[in-house]
Amino acid sequence: MMCSKRKLWAETFLRSTFFGGLRSTQRSESINSFLNRFLHSRAKLYEFMSHIDRAMSRLRNNELKDDFDCINQHPVLVTHLLQLEKHAAEVYTRNIFGRVRDEINAEAKLSIVNCVDDAESVMYTFRKFAGGEKT
């Protein structure tokens, strides 16, 4: 019963959660794409197991390398929001950090045109510095 109602609450529950650009289906699509490089439809069971083992070894190795890089390499901070950028560098992988840095840089190209503050929310209107386009 509760499982059938999850569509009613899951989106609302996760609405304000940041996932670093990942969609809900993106992870399974990515794994399927990765495994398809190692598998073919005519594989015998022992070949299948050998291919899966090789694929899993590569995934584990890539994850260990990413962990090592995150622990031992610190990116150069270059945006105008140094504290936010530093925090993002500490909590996200280098790949996701790159996306966060891109968002910070995109924010630097905006200026606040208007601010409407009511009892429950604040709504800002932004304009790009160069083109004058509203965003």
Side-chain angles (χ1 to χ4, degrees), residues 18-24 26 96 99-100:
F18 176 69
F19 289 105
L22 292 176
R23 297 183 320 266
S24 61
Q26 192 172 15
I96 299 300
R99 293 181 184 184
V100 172

Side-chain angles (χ1 to χ4, degrees), residues 56-91:
M56 295 287 83
S57 291
R58 183 171 292 177
L59 279 175
R60 285 187 205 102
N61 193 29
N62 290 345
E63 187 171 344
L64 285 172
K65 183 188 177 308
D66 289 344
D67 287 345
F68 179 84
D69 290 346
C70 286
I71 292 169
N72 296 303
Q73 296 176 357
H74 302 286
V76 176
L77 305 179
V78 295
T79 69
H80 64 289
L81 298 173
L82 291 175
Q83 291 298 335
L84 179 63
E85 187 181 10
K86 181 180 178 190
H87 178 70
E90 291 170 356
V91 298

Side-chain angles (χ1 to χ4, degrees), residues 3 10 39 47 54 58 64 68 73 88 115 127:
C3 195
L39 304 174
E47 293 171 330
R54 194 172 76 219
R58 183 171 292 177
L64 285 172
F68 179 84
Q73 296 176 357
C115 175
R127 180 167 299 162

Side-chain angles (χ1 to χ4, degrees), residues 66-131:
D66 289 344
D67 287 345
F68 179 84
D69 290 346
C70 286
I71 292 169
N72 296 303
Q73 296 176 357
H74 302 286
V76 176
L77 305 179
V78 295
T79 69
H80 64 289
L81 298 173
L82 291 175
Q83 291 298 335
L84 179 63
E85 187 181 10
K86 181 180 178 190
H87 178 70
E90 291 170 356
V91 298
Y92 294 120
T93 63
R94 293 296 163 251
N95 193 14
I96 299 300
F97 170 70
R99 293 181 184 184
V100 172
R101 180 185 274 171
D102 291 344
E103 290 295 319
I104 293 171
N105 284 328
E107 179 275 331
K109 298 173 185 170
L110 302 175
S111 64
I112 297 175
V113 175
N114 190 21
C115 175
V116 178
D117 188 3
D118 65 14
E120 296 181 16
S121 64
V122 179
M123 185 167 71
Y124 294 93
T125 306
F126 295 93
R127 180 167 299 162
K128 289 185 179 180
F129 281 130

